[in-house]
Amino acid sequence: MSKSSLPIINTGPEEDCFNSSPRRLSKVPMTPALETLLNPHLHNKEAIFTSPIRPPAEGEKIYHLSEEQIKALRDLRGNTIDLHPGMGGIAPHKLIDMIKQGKPLTSLDYMITRGCNFECTWCFAGSDPYQRDYLPFNVLESLTTEAADIGVSLFVLTGGEPLVYKDPALGKQKERGDHFFRIVQMIRDTYNRKDNPAKILTFDDVALITPKIAKNFADFEVGLCTKGDTLNPELQDFKVNQSGAFKKMQQGYENLMHVGYGKNPKLRLVVNSVLDHTTFDGIIDLHLWVMKNGFDHSIVPVHYCGNAENEDQEAGIHSPHVKVLYDLITRIDAAYFGVKWEAWSAFTYNKTCNRNRSGLHIRADGDVTACSESPGRSETNKYTFGNVLSDKNFSLRTLANSQQLAAYREEFAKGHGTYVCSPKVCDLYANDLCQGGCATRSAYSKIDYETGLIVKNDNPHSYSEFREDPLCPAWTVLAERQGVLKKSLLREIHDRLLSNSQSIEAREFPFS
């Protein structure tokens, strides 16, 4: 690996599909170099299957894991508080035990504002500087009090950009972030009175983090999930739709590292990277940067959702791209960082989303939903369980213990697919290590059984009724086993990733 230092990355807000807005006019000047970056021709939309894929035969497993492999997976997940997006804060088997022990709700997401300092091209939340939706402080305070009484142990503060949150009822802010840290302090005080500490995670795009804000994050031991998509300044500026954003982010990251993020084990930081056709070529160098700085890395392959469905997805991230990338990252992690894992699921390190097992998300418009990215009221009422702003008698405790929520969770538990996301064919699923990958991807996207390409899904109820994550590496495993995967495709993807890396030599990781 090259000893030369890599530049600081910058980020965008959390993804959300429920309320997307039209593509914004670009504020970043188009140059020949940028135009090349935006059109890498990852895939020409031709079929990657030579004939239709078939469901596994009766008794056939895609992933057959030994007891040792299952234990290693659980140990890797359980050695730290898991703050990757959607992970519910803890290892899945521990979370399931908490539910069985009578804690109906273990994590709670607050989308405190839709306002944001950036206008990301793939923003699924429809956030930008002109959005005004927010959750009032007194409502958050009431919800947090109830949450403490019923066992919630993780709070996730999202946006938009949480640091732009402001509630006029709290008075004028002295400086950026004052009202946000009032929320953090309120959560801390509420749980201190109960003598039961809670973990707080926030999504942040880093551009607004001053030295004082970084210190506040560290003093409160707030876990951070930041967005880093590319090390190319021009491309990242385009993605967040703001010239000069990269430079602002450099300073923000320096401020965070100065107070201990990346070094102090109590100060967790996860870099959340959206993977699309424009960021794919640079993802290896980005991963190396993340790991070298002591951060965790979460990679989110983009799919047909929100603004991404027209431009960012159609150029072609498919299961083979995810499979080859993750396999390569496992080898890099073992060689350079002493981290050993095998790539099986749709998440790095075989993480799995726990939101639908025991968490709830409250949107800035007050809707209480299954998760931040579940289909909203405009598509179906199936995944909305009330509104904290308009329902005068709303009670978090009542909802957490309701038959409505229990029935939804039961449906979700049974809503597996038949090809790759099923306890019958996948030991990850059978051992509560994965429940069908990303439910949101199943709701908005699906795989074309004849071509192998990811295509748009018009049935949002696939979120809970029939989950088959179209970007799981298992599709590639099954296609290889059946002999229907286009020859040489995996090698071509592997060679492309390494040829575009400026930090490692291709000969170090030959295709295998």
Side-chain angles (χ1 to χ4, degrees), residues 37-71:
L37 290 170
L38 296 178
N39 297 281
H41 301 294
L42 260 192
H43 190 267
N44 59 10
K45 301 183 184 179
E46 292 181 357
I48 58 179
F49 290 170
T50 57
S51 60
I53 198 169
R54 305 180 305 278
E58 185 69 28
E60 179 187 2
K61 285 185 177 291
I62 297 174
Y63 293 139
H64 185 86
L65 276 60
S66 67
E67 290 298 323
E68 291 77 14
Q69 288 173 316
I70 293 171
K71 182 180 183 301

PDB file of all heavy atoms in Angstrom, residues 37-71:
ATOM      1  N   LEU A  37     -15.925  11.519 -14.996  1.00  0.00           N
ATOM      2  CA  LEU A  37     -16.209  10.850 -13.723  1.00  0.00           C
ATOM      3  C   LEU A  37     -17.675  10.464 -13.601  1.00  0.00           C
ATOM      4  O   LEU A  37     -18.015   9.463 -12.958  1.00  0.00           O
ATOM      5  CB  LEU A  37     -15.828  11.768 -12.558  1.00  0.00           C
ATOM      6  CG  LEU A  37     -14.338  12.018 -12.330  1.00  0.00           C
ATOM      7  CD1 LEU A  37     -14.132  13.129 -11.316  1.00  0.00           C
ATOM      8  CD2 LEU A  37     -13.647  10.738 -11.861  1.00  0.00           C
ATOM      9  N   LEU A  38     -18.555  11.250 -14.216  1.00  0.00           N
ATOM     10  CA  LEU A  38     -19.989  10.995 -14.091  1.00  0.00           C
ATOM     11  C   LEU A  38     -20.471   9.956 -15.087  1.00  0.00           C
ATOM     12  O   LEU A  38     -21.623   9.513 -14.992  1.00  0.00           O
ATOM     13  CB  LEU A  38     -20.768  12.302 -14.300  1.00  0.00           C
ATOM     14  CG  LEU A  38     -20.526  13.395 -13.264  1.00  0.00           C
ATOM     15  CD1 LEU A  38     -21.327  14.643 -13.626  1.00  0.00           C
ATOM     16  CD2 LEU A  38     -20.880  12.920 -11.872  1.00  0.00           C
ATOM     17  N   ASN A  39     -19.629   9.562 -16.020  1.00  0.00           N
ATOM     18  CA  ASN A  39     -20.036   8.598 -17.046  1.00  0.00           C
ATOM     19  C   ASN A  39     -18.991   7.502 -17.215  1.00  0.00           C
ATOM     20  O   ASN A  39     -18.357   7.384 -18.266  1.00  0.00           O
ATOM     21  CB  ASN A  39     -20.262   9.323 -18.383  1.00  0.00           C
ATOM     22  CG  ASN A  39     -21.394  10.328 -18.316  1.00  0.00           C
ATOM     23  OD1 ASN A  39     -22.553   9.964 -18.375  1.00  0.00           O
ATOM     24  ND2 ASN A  39     -21.032  11.600 -18.194  1.00  0.00           N
ATOM     25  N   PRO A  40     -18.805   6.683 -16.189  1.00  0.00           N
ATOM     26  CA  PRO A  40     -17.737   5.678 -16.262  1.00  0.00           C
ATOM     27  C   PRO A  40     -18.099   4.430 -17.060  1.00  0.00           C
ATOM     28  O   PRO A  40     -17.257   3.579 -17.269  1.00  0.00           O
ATOM     29  CB  PRO A  40     -17.516   5.318 -14.788  1.00  0.00           C
ATOM     30  CG  PRO A  40     -18.874   5.501 -14.188  1.00  0.00           C
ATOM     31  CD  PRO A  40     -19.484   6.680 -14.894  1.00  0.00           C
ATOM     32  N   HIS A  41     -19.378   4.306 -17.479  1.00  0.00           N
ATOM     33  CA  HIS A  41     -19.823   3.142 -18.265  1.00  0.00           C
ATOM     34  C   HIS A  41     -19.486   1.826 -17.559  1.00  0.00           C
ATOM     35  O   HIS A  41     -18.857   0.942 -18.113  1.00  0.00           O
ATOM     36  CB  HIS A  41     -19.196   3.165 -19.660  1.00  0.00           C
ATOM     37  CG  HIS A  41     -19.532   4.401 -20.439  1.00  0.00           C
ATOM     38  ND1 HIS A  41     -20.814   4.688 -20.855  1.00  0.00           N
ATOM     39  CD2 HIS A  41     -18.760   5.433 -20.838  1.00  0.00           C
ATOM     40  CE1 HIS A  41     -20.815   5.848 -21.500  1.00  0.00           C
ATOM     41  NE2 HIS A  41     -19.591   6.319 -21.500  1.00  0.00           N
ATOM     42  N   LEU A  42     -19.951   1.736 -16.321  1.00  0.00           N
ATOM     43  CA  LEU A  42     -19.740   0.509 -15.557  1.00  0.00           C
ATOM     44  C   LEU A  42     -20.398  -0.683 -16.228  1.00  0.00           C
ATOM     45  O   LEU A  42     -19.882  -1.787 -16.205  1.00  0.00           O
ATOM     46  CB  LEU A  42     -20.345   0.658 -14.148  1.00  0.00           C
ATOM     47  CG  LEU A  42     -19.429   0.994 -12.982  1.00  0.00           C
ATOM     48  CD1 LEU A  42     -20.181   0.796 -11.686  1.00  0.00           C
ATOM     49  CD2 LEU A  42     -18.166   0.157 -12.989  1.00  0.00           C
ATOM     50  N   HIS A  43     -21.578  -0.428 -16.795  1.00  0.00           N
ATOM     51  CA  HIS A  43     -22.316  -1.532 -17.391  1.00  0.00           C
ATOM     52  C   HIS A  43     -23.150  -1.003 -18.539  1.00  0.00           C
ATOM     53  O   HIS A  43     -23.728   0.087 -18.469  1.00  0.00           O
ATOM     54  CB  HIS A  43     -23.209  -2.203 -16.343  1.00  0.00           C
ATOM     55  CG  HIS A  43     -23.808  -3.486 -16.813  1.00  0.00           C
ATOM     56  ND1 HIS A  43     -25.040  -3.557 -17.398  1.00  0.00           N
ATOM     57  CD2 HIS A  43     -23.320  -4.743 -16.818  1.00  0.00           C
ATOM     58  CE1 HIS A  43     -25.293  -4.807 -17.719  1.00  0.00           C
ATOM     59  NE2 HIS A  43     -24.272  -5.563 -17.376  1.00  0.00           N
ATOM     60  N   ASN A  44     -23.260  -1.790 -19.612  1.00  0.00           N
ATOM     61  CA  ASN A  44     -23.973  -1.334 -20.803  1.00  0.00           C
ATOM     62  C   ASN A  44     -25.423  -1.802 -20.863  1.00  0.00           C
ATOM     63  O   ASN A  44     -26.053  -1.765 -21.914  1.00  0.00           O
ATOM     64  CB  ASN A  44     -23.231  -1.791 -22.061  1.00  0.00           C
ATOM     65  CG  ASN A  44     -23.094  -3.301 -22.118  1.00  0.00           C
ATOM     66  OD1 ASN A  44     -23.698  -4.025 -21.321  1.00  0.00           O
ATOM     67  ND2 ASN A  44     -22.290  -3.768 -23.054  1.00  0.00           N
ATOM     68  N   LYS A  45     -25.943  -2.288 -19.722  1.00  0.00           N
ATOM     69  CA  LYS A  45     -27.329  -2.742 -19.581  1.00  0.00           C
ATOM     70  C   LYS A  45     -27.609  -4.045 -20.323  1.00  0.00           C
ATOM     71  O   LYS A  45     -28.759  -4.442 -20.448  1.00  0.00           O
ATOM     72  CB  LYS A  45     -28.319  -1.652 -20.028  1.00  0.00           C
ATOM     73  CG  LYS A  45     -28.197  -0.354 -19.241  1.00  0.00           C
ATOM     74  CD  LYS A  45     -29.235   0.663 -19.677  1.00  0.00           C
ATOM     75  CE  LYS A  45     -29.042   1.985 -18.959  1.00  0.00           C
ATOM     76  NZ  LYS A  45     -30.025   2.999 -19.383  1.00  0.00           N
ATOM     77  N   GLU A  46     -26.554  -4.700 -20.784  1.00  0.00           N
ATOM     78  CA  GLU A  46     -26.741  -6.013 -21.382  1.00  0.00           C
ATOM     79  C   GLU A  46     -26.850  -7.061 -20.281  1.00  0.00           C
ATOM     80  O   GLU A  46     -26.338  -6.878 -19.174  1.00  0.00           O
ATOM     81  CB  GLU A  46     -25.567  -6.358 -22.300  1.00  0.00           C
ATOM     82  CG  GLU A  46     -25.499  -5.498 -23.546  1.00  0.00           C
ATOM     83  CD  GLU A  46     -24.332  -5.890 -24.433  1.00  0.00           C
ATOM     84  OE1 GLU A  46     -23.568  -6.800 -24.026  1.00  0.00           O
ATOM     85  OE2 GLU A  46     -24.178  -5.292 -25.504  1.00  0.00           O
ATOM     86  N   ALA A  47     -27.509  -8.161 -20.565  1.00  0.00           N
ATOM     87  CA  ALA A  47     -27.718  -9.214 -19.584  1.00  0.00           C
ATOM     88  C   ALA A  47     -26.392  -9.740 -19.046  1.00  0.00           C
ATOM     89  O   ALA A  47     -25.406  -9.857 -19.777  1.00  0.00           O
ATOM     90  CB  ALA A  47     -28.509 -10.360 -20.196  1.00  0.00           C
ATOM     91  N   ILE A  48     -26.363 -10.038 -17.745  1.00  0.00           N
ATOM     92  CA  ILE A  48     -25.181 -10.654 -17.144  1.00  0.00           C
ATOM     93  C   ILE A  48     -25.426 -12.138 -16.869  1.00  0.00           C
ATOM     94  O   ILE A  48     -24.514 -12.845 -16.451  1.00  0.00           O
ATOM     95  CB  ILE A  48     -24.753  -9.934 -15.859  1.00  0.00           C
ATOM     96  CG1 ILE A  48     -25.874  -9.919 -14.821  1.00  0.00           C
ATOM     97  CG2 ILE A  48     -24.311  -8.524 -16.176  1.00  0.00           C
ATOM     98  CD1 ILE A  48     -25.476  -9.246 -13.525  1.00  0.00           C
ATOM     99  N   PHE A  49     -26.673 -12.588 -17.088  1.00  0.00           N
ATOM    100  CA  PHE A  49     -26.986 -14.015 -17.063  1.00  0.00           C
ATOM    101  C   PHE A  49     -27.095 -14.513 -18.508  1.00  0.00           C
ATOM    102  O   PHE A  49     -27.671 -13.836 -19.364  1.00  0.00           O
ATOM    103  CB  PHE A  49     -28.305 -14.299 -16.355  1.00  0.00           C
ATOM    104  CG  PHE A  49     -28.298 -14.078 -14.866  1.00  0.00           C
ATOM    105  CD1 PHE A  49     -29.489 -14.104 -14.140  1.00  0.00           C
ATOM    106  CD2 PHE A  49     -27.110 -13.872 -14.174  1.00  0.00           C
ATOM    107  CE1 PHE A  49     -29.489 -13.908 -12.774  1.00  0.00           C
ATOM    108  CE2 PHE A  49     -27.102 -13.671 -12.801  1.00  0.00           C
ATOM    109  CZ  PHE A  49     -28.294 -13.695 -12.101  1.00  0.00           C
ATOM    110  N   THR A  50     -26.566 -15.689 -18.759  1.00  0.00           N
ATOM    111  CA  THR A  50     -26.670 -16.270 -20.095  1.00  0.00           C
ATOM    112  C   THR A  50     -27.989 -17.011 -20.293  1.00  0.00           C
ATOM    113  O   THR A  50     -28.392 -17.284 -21.422  1.00  0.00           O
ATOM    114  CB  THR A  50     -25.505 -17.233 -20.339  1.00  0.00           C
ATOM    115  OG1 THR A  50     -25.500 -18.238 -19.310  1.00  0.00           O
ATOM    116  CG2 THR A  50     -24.174 -16.490 -20.322  1.00  0.00           C
ATOM    117  N   SER A  51     -28.667 -17.340 -19.196  1.00  0.00           N
ATOM    118  CA  SER A  51     -30.008 -17.931 -19.223  1.00  0.00           C
ATOM    119  C   SER A  51     -30.634 -17.641 -17.870  1.00  0.00           C
ATOM    120  O   SER A  51     -29.929 -17.281 -16.918  1.00  0.00           O
ATOM    121  CB  SER A  51     -29.956 -19.437 -19.501  1.00  0.00           C
ATOM    122  OG  SER A  51     -29.210 -20.111 -18.509  1.00  0.00           O
ATOM    123  N   PRO A  52     -31.952 -17.770 -17.743  1.00  0.00           N
ATOM    124  CA  PRO A  52     -32.616 -17.391 -16.488  1.00  0.00           C
ATOM    125  C   PRO A  52     -32.105 -18.181 -15.284  1.00  0.00           C
ATOM    126  O   PRO A  52     -31.806 -19.376 -15.385  1.00  0.00           O
ATOM    127  CB  PRO A  52     -34.089 -17.708 -16.773  1.00  0.00           C
ATOM    128  CG  PRO A  52     -34.209 -17.629 -18.253  1.00  0.00           C
ATOM    129  CD  PRO A  52     -32.910 -18.151 -18.792  1.00  0.00           C
ATOM    130  N   ILE A  53     -32.004 -17.506 -14.161  1.00  0.00           N
ATOM    131  CA  ILE A  53     -31.608 -18.160 -12.919  1.00  0.00           C
ATOM    132  C   ILE A  53     -32.802 -18.931 -12.362  1.00  0.00           C
ATOM    133  O   ILE A  53     -33.957 -18.554 -12.570  1.00  0.00           O
ATOM    134  CB  ILE A  53     -31.089 -17.114 -11.901  1.00  0.00           C
ATOM    135  CG1 ILE A  53     -30.271 -17.778 -10.797  1.00  0.00           C
ATOM    136  CG2 ILE A  53     -32.229 -16.287 -11.330  1.00  0.00           C
ATOM    137  CD1 ILE A  53     -29.523 -16.780  -9.927  1.00  0.00           C
ATOM    138  N   ARG A  54     -32.532 -20.024 -11.665  1.00  0.00           N
ATOM    139  CA  ARG A  54     -33.587 -20.871 -11.114  1.00  0.00           C
ATOM    140  C   ARG A  54     -33.523 -20.862  -9.595  1.00  0.00           C
ATOM    141  O   ARG A  54     -32.431 -20.718  -9.013  1.00  0.00           O
ATOM    142  CB  ARG A  54     -33.429 -22.312 -11.614  1.00  0.00           C
ATOM    143  CG  ARG A  54     -33.373 -22.447 -13.128  1.00  0.00           C
ATOM    144  CD  ARG A  54     -33.205 -23.896 -13.548  1.00  0.00           C
ATOM    145  NE  ARG A  54     -32.051 -24.535 -12.925  1.00  0.00           N
ATOM    146  CZ  ARG A  54     -30.794 -24.434 -13.359  1.00  0.00           C
ATOM    147  NH1 ARG A  54     -30.534 -23.686 -14.448  1.00  0.00           N
ATOM    148  NH2 ARG A  54     -29.809 -25.054 -12.754  1.00  0.00           N
ATOM    149  N   PRO A  55     -34.648 -21.052  -8.924  1.00  0.00           N
ATOM    150  CA  PRO A  55     -34.609 -21.179  -7.460  1.00  0.00           C
ATOM    151  C   PRO A  55     -33.771 -22.391  -7.063  1.00  0.00           C
ATOM    152  O   PRO A  55     -33.677 -23.361  -7.830  1.00  0.00           O
ATOM    153  CB  PRO A  55     -36.081 -21.387  -7.083  1.00  0.00           C
ATOM    154  CG  PRO A  55     -36.867 -20.888  -8.242  1.00  0.00           C
ATOM    155  CD  PRO A  55     -36.021 -21.150  -9.453  1.00  0.00           C
ATOM    156  N   PRO A  56     -33.139 -22.360  -5.919  1.00  0.00           N
ATOM    157  CA  PRO A  56     -32.377 -23.523  -5.464  1.00  0.00           C
ATOM    158  C   PRO A  56     -33.276 -24.759  -5.375  1.00  0.00           C
ATOM    159  O   PRO A  56     -34.470 -24.653  -5.077  1.00  0.00           O
ATOM    160  CB  PRO A  56     -31.878 -23.107  -4.080  1.00  0.00           C
ATOM    161  CG  PRO A  56     -31.884 -21.609  -4.112  1.00  0.00           C
ATOM    162  CD  PRO A  56     -33.046 -21.234  -4.966  1.00  0.00           C
ATOM    163  N   ALA A  57     -32.696 -25.913  -5.617  1.00  0.00           N
ATOM    164  CA  ALA A  57     -33.446 -27.154  -5.520  1.00  0.00           C
ATOM    165  C   ALA A  57     -33.794 -27.440  -4.063  1.00  0.00           C
ATOM    166  O   ALA A  57     -33.188 -26.880  -3.137  1.00  0.00           O
ATOM    167  CB  ALA A  57     -32.623 -28.303  -6.099  1.00  0.00           C
ATOM    168  N   GLU A  58     -34.781 -28.280  -3.839  1.00  0.00           N
ATOM    169  CA  GLU A  58     -35.191 -28.642  -2.487  1.00  0.00           C
ATOM    170  C   GLU A  58     -33.990 -29.175  -1.708  1.00  0.00           C
ATOM    171  O   GLU A  58     -33.292 -30.101  -2.133  1.00  0.00           O
ATOM    172  CB  GLU A  58     -36.281 -29.722  -2.535  1.00  0.00           C
ATOM    173  CG  GLU A  58     -36.864 -30.073  -1.187  1.00  0.00           C
ATOM    174  CD  GLU A  58     -37.698 -28.942  -0.588  1.00  0.00           C
ATOM    175  OE1 GLU A  58     -38.258 -28.138  -1.374  1.00  0.00           O
ATOM    176  OE2 GLU A  58     -37.778 -28.863   0.649  1.00  0.00           O
ATOM    177  N   GLY A  59     -33.717 -28.533  -0.565  1.00  0.00           N
ATOM    178  CA  GLY A  59     -32.604 -28.954   0.277  1.00  0.00           C
ATOM    179  C   GLY A  59     -31.269 -28.317  -0.072  1.00  0.00           C
ATOM    180  O   GLY A  59     -30.285 -28.486   0.658  1.00  0.00           O
ATOM    181  N   GLU A  60     -31.209 -27.571  -1.184  1.00  0.00           N
ATOM    182  CA  GLU A  60     -29.953 -26.928  -1.597  1.00  0.00           C
ATOM    183  C   GLU A  60     -29.753 -25.626  -0.844  1.00  0.00           C
ATOM    184  O   GLU A  60     -30.665 -24.815  -0.710  1.00  0.00           O
ATOM    185  CB  GLU A  60     -29.979 -26.646  -3.099  1.00  0.00           C
ATOM    186  CG  GLU A  60     -28.723 -25.946  -3.607  1.00  0.00           C
ATOM    187  CD  GLU A  60     -28.816 -25.528  -5.057  1.00  0.00           C
ATOM    188  OE1 GLU A  60     -29.879 -25.750  -5.667  1.00  0.00           O
ATOM    189  OE2 GLU A  60     -27.834 -24.972  -5.577  1.00  0.00           O
ATOM    190  N   LYS A  61     -28.556 -25.412  -0.332  1.00  0.00           N
ATOM    191  CA  LYS A  61     -28.228 -24.180   0.374  1.00  0.00           C
ATOM    192  C   LYS A  61     -27.213 -23.362  -0.417  1.00  0.00           C
ATOM    193  O   LYS A  61     -26.279 -23.915  -1.010  1.00  0.00           O
ATOM    194  CB  LYS A  61     -27.655 -24.488   1.761  1.00  0.00           C
ATOM    195  CG  LYS A  61     -28.694 -24.928   2.791  1.00  0.00           C
ATOM    196  CD  LYS A  61     -28.035 -25.096   4.143  1.00  0.00           C
ATOM    197  CE  LYS A  61     -29.045 -25.454   5.218  1.00  0.00           C
ATOM    198  NZ  LYS A  61     -29.946 -24.329   5.521  1.00  0.00           N
ATOM    199  N   ILE A  62     -27.416 -22.063  -0.427  1.00  0.00           N
ATOM    200  CA  ILE A  62     -26.430 -21.172  -1.038  1.00  0.00           C
ATOM    201  C   ILE A  62     -25.258 -20.994  -0.090  1.00  0.00           C
ATOM    202  O   ILE A  62     -24.102 -21.069  -0.483  1.00  0.00           O
ATOM    203  CB  ILE A  62     -27.080 -19.817  -1.370  1.00  0.00           C
ATOM    204  CG1 ILE A  62     -28.179 -20.004  -2.399  1.00  0.00           C
ATOM    205  CG2 ILE A  62     -26.031 -18.833  -1.879  1.00  0.00           C
ATOM    206  CD1 ILE A  62     -28.968 -18.771  -2.679  1.00  0.00           C
ATOM    207  N   TYR A  63     -25.565 -20.727   1.180  1.00  0.00           N
ATOM    208  CA  TYR A  63     -24.529 -20.599   2.201  1.00  0.00           C
ATOM    209  C   TYR A  63     -24.775 -21.644   3.288  1.00  0.00           C
ATOM    210  O   TYR A  63     -25.812 -21.625   3.958  1.00  0.00           O
ATOM    211  CB  TYR A  63     -24.555 -19.210   2.840  1.00  0.00           C
ATOM    212  CG  TYR A  63     -24.176 -18.086   1.919  1.00  0.00           C
ATOM    213  CD1 TYR A  63     -24.868 -16.878   1.951  1.00  0.00           C
ATOM    214  CD2 TYR A  63     -23.111 -18.200   1.028  1.00  0.00           C
ATOM    215  CE1 TYR A  63     -24.522 -15.827   1.119  1.00  0.00           C
ATOM    216  CE2 TYR A  63     -22.761 -17.159   0.192  1.00  0.00           C
ATOM    217  CZ  TYR A  63     -23.465 -15.965   0.242  1.00  0.00           C
ATOM    218  OH  TYR A  63     -23.122 -14.931  -0.578  1.00  0.00           O
ATOM    219  N   HIS A  64     -23.832 -22.550   3.437  1.00  0.00           N
ATOM    220  CA  HIS A  64     -23.890 -23.540   4.505  1.00  0.00           C
ATOM    221  C   HIS A  64     -22.756 -23.214   5.465  1.00  0.00           C
ATOM    222  O   HIS A  64     -21.582 -23.434   5.153  1.00  0.00           O
ATOM    223  CB  HIS A  64     -23.743 -24.956   3.947  1.00  0.00           C
ATOM    224  CG  HIS A  64     -23.917 -26.011   4.990  1.00  0.00           C
ATOM    225  ND1 HIS A  64     -25.149 -26.511   5.346  1.00  0.00           N
ATOM    226  CD2 HIS A  64     -23.018 -26.650   5.771  1.00  0.00           C
ATOM    227  CE1 HIS A  64     -25.005 -27.413   6.294  1.00  0.00           C
ATOM    228  NE2 HIS A  64     -23.711 -27.522   6.565  1.00  0.00           N
ATOM    229  N   LEU A  65     -23.070 -22.684   6.629  1.00  0.00           N
ATOM    230  CA  LEU A  65     -22.067 -22.213   7.578  1.00  0.00           C
ATOM    231  C   LEU A  65     -21.847 -23.237   8.679  1.00  0.00           C
ATOM    232  O   LEU A  65     -22.800 -23.835   9.184  1.00  0.00           O
ATOM    233  CB  LEU A  65     -22.492 -20.886   8.210  1.00  0.00           C
ATOM    234  CG  LEU A  65     -22.177 -19.605   7.428  1.00  0.00           C
ATOM    235  CD1 LEU A  65     -22.860 -19.598   6.071  1.00  0.00           C
ATOM    236  CD2 LEU A  65     -22.585 -18.381   8.243  1.00  0.00           C
ATOM    237  N   SER A  66     -20.602 -23.422   9.064  1.00  0.00           N
ATOM    238  CA  SER A  66     -20.265 -24.298  10.187  1.00  0.00           C
ATOM    239  C   SER A  66     -20.544 -23.568  11.499  1.00  0.00           C
ATOM    240  O   SER A  66     -20.715 -22.340  11.534  1.00  0.00           O
ATOM    241  CB  SER A  66     -18.791 -24.691  10.128  1.00  0.00           C
ATOM    242  OG  SER A  66     -17.965 -23.552  10.359  1.00  0.00           O
ATOM    243  N   GLU A  67     -20.557 -24.311  12.592  1.00  0.00           N
ATOM    244  CA  GLU A  67     -20.746 -23.704  13.906  1.00  0.00           C
ATOM    245  C   GLU A  67     -19.623 -22.713  14.210  1.00  0.00           C
ATOM    246  O   GLU A  67     -19.844 -21.678  14.831  1.00  0.00           O
ATOM    247  CB  GLU A  67     -20.804 -24.783  14.985  1.00  0.00           C
ATOM    248  CG  GLU A  67     -22.070 -25.636  14.942  1.00  0.00           C
ATOM    249  CD  GLU A  67     -23.327 -24.804  15.179  1.00  0.00           C
ATOM    250  OE1 GLU A  67     -23.288 -23.869  16.005  1.00  0.00           O
ATOM    251  OE2 GLU A  67     -24.342 -25.076  14.516  1.00  0.00           O
ATOM    252  N   GLU A  68     -18.417 -23.036  13.762  1.00  0.00           N
ATOM    253  CA  GLU A  68     -17.284 -22.140  13.986  1.00  0.00           C
ATOM    254  C   GLU A  68     -17.470 -20.827  13.225  1.00  0.00           C
ATOM    255  O   GLU A  68     -17.153 -19.750  13.737  1.00  0.00           O
ATOM    256  CB  GLU A  68     -15.982 -22.829  13.546  1.00  0.00           C
ATOM    257  CG  GLU A  68     -15.538 -23.993  14.410  1.00  0.00           C
ATOM    258  CD  GLU A  68     -16.341 -25.260  14.149  1.00  0.00           C
ATOM    259  OE1 GLU A  68     -17.073 -25.315  13.112  1.00  0.00           O
ATOM    260  OE2 GLU A  68     -16.261 -26.192  14.964  1.00  0.00           O
ATOM    261  N   GLN A  69     -17.969 -20.913  11.998  1.00  0.00           N
ATOM    262  CA  GLN A  69     -18.197 -19.699  11.216  1.00  0.00           C
ATOM    263  C   GLN A  69     -19.296 -18.845  11.832  1.00  0.00           C
ATOM    264  O   GLN A  69     -19.195 -17.612  11.871  1.00  0.00           O
ATOM    265  CB  GLN A  69     -18.553 -20.072   9.774  1.00  0.00           C
ATOM    266  CG  GLN A  69     -17.386 -20.606   8.970  1.00  0.00           C
ATOM    267  CD  GLN A  69     -17.804 -21.128   7.615  1.00  0.00           C
ATOM    268  OE1 GLN A  69     -18.810 -21.831   7.485  1.00  0.00           O
ATOM    269  NE2 GLN A  69     -17.046 -20.797   6.579  1.00  0.00           N
ATOM    270  N   ILE A  70     -20.347 -19.463  12.309  1.00  0.00           N
ATOM    271  CA  ILE A  70     -21.433 -18.733  12.950  1.00  0.00           C
ATOM    272  C   ILE A  70     -20.928 -18.042  14.210  1.00  0.00           C
ATOM    273  O   ILE A  70     -21.234 -16.867  14.460  1.00  0.00           O
ATOM    274  CB  ILE A  70     -22.600 -19.686  13.280  1.00  0.00           C
ATOM    275  CG1 ILE A  70     -23.248 -20.182  11.980  1.00  0.00           C
ATOM    276  CG2 ILE A  70     -23.643 -18.989  14.152  1.00  0.00           C
ATOM    277  CD1 ILE A  70     -24.255 -21.284  12.194  1.00  0.00           C
ATOM    278  N   LYS A  71     -20.128 -18.745  15.001  1.00  0.00           N
ATOM    279  CA  LYS A  71     -19.576 -18.150  16.217  1.00  0.00           C
ATOM    280  C   LYS A  71     -18.661 -16.981  15.886  1.00  0.00           C
ATOM    281  O   LYS A  71     -18.698 -15.928  16.551  1.00  0.00           O
ATOM    282  CB  LYS A  71     -18.812 -19.199  17.019  1.00  0.00           C
ATOM    283  CG  LYS A  71     -18.235 -18.664  18.335  1.00  0.00           C
ATOM    284  CD  LYS A  71     -17.477 -19.732  19.095  1.00  0.00           C
ATOM    285  CE  LYS A  71     -16.988 -19.190  20.425  1.00  0.00           C
ATOM    286  NZ  LYS A  71     -16.105 -18.014  20.288  1.00  0.00           N
TER     287      LYS A  71
END
